[in-house]
Amino acid sequence: MKDYYPTRMEKEDILDRVDPVIYGKPVGEYSLKPEEASFYEQNGFIIFPNFFSEEEVNEFNNALFSLKNAPELKEKEEYITEPDSDEVRTIFSQHLFHPIFNKLMKDRRIVDKIEHILGSNAYIHHSRINIKPAYKGKSFPWHSDFETWHAEDGLPRCRVLTAWIMLTDNTHYNGPLYLIPGSHKKFVSCAGKTPKDNYKQSLKKQEYGVPSLKAIKHLSKNTELVAALGKKGTLVFHDGNIMHGSPDNISPYDRTNAFFVYNSVENTPVEPFAAKHKRAPFLSLDDYTPL
Amino acid sequence: MKDYYPTRMEKEDILDRVDPVIYGKPVGEYSLKPEEASFYEQNGFIIFPNFFSEEEVNEFNNALFSLKNAPELKEKEEYITEPDSDEVRTIFSQHLFHPIFNKLMKDRRIVDKIEHILGSNAYIHHSRINIKPAYKGKSFPWHSDFETWHAEDGLPRCRVLTAWIMLTDNTHYNGPLYLIPGSHKKFVSCAGKTPKDNYKQSLKKQEYGVPSLKAIKHLSKNTELVAALGKKGTLVFHDGNIMHGSPDNISPYDRTNAFFVYNSVENTPVEPFAAKHKRAPFLSLDDYTPL
């Protein structure tokens, strides 16, 4: 299969995106409004403030609490800890471990918008809850998710995006996600070969598929950085290829978000484009049944 | 001498400040206005946006450039590098190394305000320029400067403050200083004995004199965190005892500030209150000549 997004080569390069950002049309009850679709197309993200009610957010947080405290889950590979402590940083596959998150993943208020953007049915490539704990949650360097999903999971095209829900308020102080608006229209072909089992390290601290300062300067040259801020219950979509990162959280407030990566059923994985082996199954789920 | 601020004991404790915040009266041409003094007294900091002209800021930055590139200075203890690179993070004693910073230190627009707050003449306890480089500048945990100056340098009372000038814009994205308004009226007596030569490590990453998450939560309970933001040329004062910290800088923009610590000539150092030995001379200068 032709590789439209070559990466992990000797030298970094900045390529043009070859895929559209919005593949489809508004067909569902909850599809994007024209101005929302236009904003998303142009910027590569969109924020829906206070999308879920307080009651719904409480349900999500109760479900997370039970996941965090389920002894049978603690030894699983899906549970990732902070680089220098035993604190849970990430729980993967929450939609498989708890019915509340399974229901959330299929919520038509989300999925109608996803299908509009992807122009097809969707399935979950993976899901995760990121907990950036107060006072010691670590930063995450700039990256495009799609770069990794293409290089290491074998997603052929950029027809994939992340929808995520704030389970705590995301403020300027607790390590929010920074985005470079418009960067989803460029693809940073990253320097350096992928080492074996890279994902075990990269979930704690990413070192491959990381663009240089020069690339970040280039992408942010004509734009202002944006922080994805909002009250808990806020919904955010970001394109699979948008450049993002987040600083550490020295504030006294946790920052917790639930992510769902929706891939088009017409974009299922092939062999990795720039890695010898696929990442662990929970990072690239193989249930392609349309939602 | 009685120790009004015992610290580095077995257990953390939160004590009341025994010293006033403003010791003096407005006597100079550039003293604080009544509303400025009242804001500073209550919050423990004050921001003067665009205090210096663009021309003055250019002078400061040219002086910094020449300091960074002076080969005879590079081997000095006053030059501190990033924990995991050779990049200069801090240059101490800029007022001794460059006439522009010497002149800045004595600028009456600053010193009149300092003398108003300290109620006496002042001298420089130390000075430093902090460069938090784009993309990789590291965070600094919450601390009160005065806790260290009292414990390790032997400053008896909290009659000391820092004035600092932004040499680049300080934005929400490039690792700005976070402050807890009002925290200067409490003294966090920190847990843990000071190890020998602690300063060599603590200038890169502070580990002693660091309050717990519990203490930070307590201090920020009834207030909102504040980020000290501004365009280059902005002047900030913060009380020696205000709790502050800063996240890392993942943005593509450097964040550079020049700090001058002004101590009252009536508050010169005695023996350290909670360390066996004093820190290096450049951290606690012994020229007590009034400015």
Side-chain angles (χ1 to χ4, degrees):
Chain A
M1 181 178 283
K2 180 166 162 55
D3 183 358
Y4 289 92
Y5 299 102
T7 186
R8 315 277 172 111
M9 320 287 276
E10 206 173 317
K11 278 191 181 170
E12 185 177 81
D13 198 4
I14 299 185
L15 312 174
D16 286 326
R17 178 193 184 108
V18 297
D19 297 310
V21 177
I22 298 190
Y23 281 76
K25 290 195 164 39
V27 286
E29 183 182 351
Y30 300 105
S31 293
L32 296 175
K33 293 170 193 156
E35 65 276 18
E36 292 170 343
S38 155
F39 183 92
Y40 181 83
E41 199 283 330
Q42 200 180 326
N43 293 284
F45 71 94
I46 186 167
I47 299 173
F48 303 95
N50 311 310
F51 192 83
F52 292 98
S53 70
E54 202 177 319
E55 199 184 347
E56 288 174 306
V57 175
N58 287 344
E59 266 191 354
F60 305 153
N61 275 312
N62 289 340
L64 171 58
F65 182 84
S66 72
L67 283 184
K68 278 170 84 172
N69 293 288
E72 73 277 14
L73 297 176
K74 285 199 175 170
E75 296 306 312
K76 283 189 176 286
E77 222 189 356
E78 282 90 340
Y79 274 56
I80 314 289
T81 55
E82 284 286 317
D84 48 16
S85 83
D86 280 344
E87 199 127 358
V88 175
R89 174 183 180 140
T90 304
I91 297 174
F92 278 90
S93 297
Q94 71 271 14
H95 68 292
L96 300 178
F97 293 142
H98 202 292
I100 287 287
F101 292 120
N102 194 273
K103 186 176 141 208
L104 174 56
M105 160 197 85
K106 292 183 289 197
D107 192 314
R108 292 309 310 181
R109 291 172 291 176
I110 298 178
V111 177
D112 275 2
K113 295 175 178 60
I114 299 287
E115 291 175 353
H116 176 179
I117 293 169
L118 298 182
S120 71
N121 283 125
Y123 73 94
I124 295 291
H125 178 57
H126 69 241
S127 75
R128 67 187 186 280
I129 297 176
N130 270 353
I131 300 159
K132 191 178 272 196
Y135 197 71
K136 59 183 170 189
K138 291 284 180 291
S139 65
F140 217 83
W142 296 101
H143 64 286
S144 147
D145 294 328
F146 173 68
E147 194 276 343
T148 295
W149 300 338
H150 179 72
E152 302 188 39
D153 297 340
L155 297 202
R157 308 298 286 256
C158 190
R159 195 171 174 179
V160 56
L161 79 159
T162 301
W164 53 279
I165 297 97
M166 300 183 186
L167 301 186
T168 61
D169 294 352
N170 281 224
T171 75
H172 256 305
Y173 298 96
N174 64 357
L177 201 80
Y178 294 168
L179 300 149
I180 304 180
S183 58
H184 62 309
K185 296 196 174 178
K186 295 289 175 186
F187 178 78
V188 179
S189 172
C190 296
K193 274 207 175 178
T194 318
K196 194 181 170 211
D197 283 348
N198 176 44
Y199 76 91
K200 288 185 187 172
Q201 174 57 27
S202 76
L203 294 177
K204 296 194 179 214
K205 188 165 185 294
Q206 188 160 353
E207 290 180 358
Y208 291 83
V210 175
S212 68
L213 169 59
K214 194 178 156 198
I216 297 302
K217 282 194 169 163
H218 180 82
L219 293 177
S220 59
K221 203 169 47 183
N222 299 315
T223 187
E224 301 270 327
L225 300 183
V226 167
L229 307 181
K231 294 281 176 194
K232 58 187 179 180
T234 293
L235 171 70
V236 183
F237 280 15
H238 69 251
D239 181 89
N241 187 45
I242 195 169
M243 197 57 74
H244 61 288
S246 67
D248 48 1
N249 178 11
I250 71 162
S251 88
Y253 317 106
D254 288 346
R255 191 222 67 172
T256 304
N257 297 321
F259 296 80
F260 297 90
V261 178
Y262 293 90
N263 190 27
S264 166
V265 293
E266 296 171 16
N267 192 42
T268 53
V270 296
E271 287 305 299
F273 287 87
K276 286 213 171 131
H277 305 279
K278 288 209 178 202
R279 302 194 297 168
F282 69 90
L283 291 170
S284 185
L285 299 170
D286 60 3
D287 179 357
Y288 308 138
T289 318
L291 295 181
Chain B
M1 181 178 282
K2 181 167 161 54
D3 183 358
Y4 289 92
Y5 299 102
T7 186
R8 316 279 170 109
M9 320 287 276
E10 206 173 316
K11 277 189 179 169
E12 184 177 81
D13 198 6
I14 299 185
L15 313 174
D16 286 326
R17 178 193 184 108
V18 297
D19 296 311
V21 177
I22 297 191
Y23 281 75
K25 291 195 162 41
V27 287
E29 182 182 352
Y30 300 106
S31 293
L32 297 175
K33 293 170 192 157
E35 64 276 17
E36 291 170 344
S38 156
F39 183 92
Y40 181 82
E41 200 284 331
Q42 200 180 327
N43 293 285
F45 71 93
I46 185 165
I47 299 172
F48 303 96
N50 310 312
F51 192 82
F52 292 97
S53 70
E54 201 175 321
E55 199 185 349
E56 287 174 305
V57 175
N58 286 344
E59 267 191 354
F60 305 153
N61 275 313
N62 289 340
L64 172 58
F65 182 84
S66 73
L67 283 184
K68 278 170 86 171
N69 294 288
E72 72 278 14
L73 296 177
K74 285 199 175 168
E75 296 306 314
K76 284 190 175 285
E77 223 189 356
E78 283 90 339
Y79 275 58
I80 314 290
T81 54
E82 284 286 316
D84 47 17
S85 83
D86 280 343
E87 199 127 359
V88 175
R89 172 184 181 141
T90 304
I91 297 174
F92 279 90
S93 297
Q94 72 273 13
H95 69 291
L96 300 178
F97 293 142
H98 202 291
I100 287 287
F101 292 119
N102 195 272
K103 185 177 142 208
L104 175 56
M105 160 197 86
K106 292 183 289 195
D107 192 313
R108 292 311 309 181
R109 291 172 291 176
I110 298 179
V111 177
D112 276 2
K113 295 176 178 61
I114 299 286
E115 292 176 352
H116 176 180
I117 293 170
L118 297 182
S120 71
N121 283 124
Y123 73 95
I124 294 292
H125 177 57
H126 69 241
S127 75
R128 65 188 187 281
I129 297 175
N130 270 352
I131 301 157
K132 191 178 271 195
Y135 198 71
K136 58 182 170 188
K138 290 285 179 288
S139 65
F140 218 83
W142 295 101
H143 65 286
S144 148
D145 294 327
F146 173 68
E147 194 275 343
T148 295
W149 300 338
H150 179 71
E152 302 189 39
D153 297 340
L155 297 202
R157 309 298 287 255
C158 190
R159 196 170 174 179
V160 56
L161 79 160
T162 300
W164 53 279
I165 297 96
M166 300 183 186
L167 301 186
T168 62
D169 295 352
N170 282 223
T171 75
H172 256 306
Y173 298 95
N174 64 357
L177 202 79
Y178 293 168
L179 300 150
I180 304 181
S183 60
H184 62 308
K185 296 196 176 179
K186 296 287 176 189
F187 178 78
V188 179
S189 172
C190 296
K193 277 207 173 177
T194 318
K196 195 180 168 211
D197 283 349
N198 175 44
Y199 76 92
K200 287 184 186 170
Q201 173 57 26
S202 75
L203 295 177
K204 295 193 180 214
K205 189 164 183 293
Q206 189 161 352
E207 289 180 359
Y208 292 83
V210 175
S212 67
L213 170 57
K214 195 178 155 199
I216 297 303
K217 281 195 169 161
H218 180 82
L219 294 176
S220 60
K221 203 168 49 185
N222 299 314
T223 187
E224 300 270 327
L225 300 183
V226 167
L229 307 181
K231 294 282 176 192
K232 59 186 178 181
T234 293
L235 172 70
V236 183
F237 279 16
H238 70 253
D239 180 90
N241 188 46
I242 196 169
M243 197 59 74
H244 60 288
S246 68
D248 47 5
N249 178 11
I250 71 163
S251 87
Y253 317 106
D254 288 345
R255 190 222 68 173
T256 304
N257 298 318
F259 296 80
F260 296 90
V261 179
Y262 292 91
N263 190 26
S264 167
V265 292
E266 296 171 16
N267 192 42
T268 53
V270 295
E271 286 303 301
F273 287 88
K276 287 212 173 129
H277 306 281
K278 289 210 177 201
R279 302 194 298 169
F282 69 90
L283 292 170
S284 185
L285 299 170
D286 60 3
D287 180 356
Y288 309 140
T289 317
L291 295 179

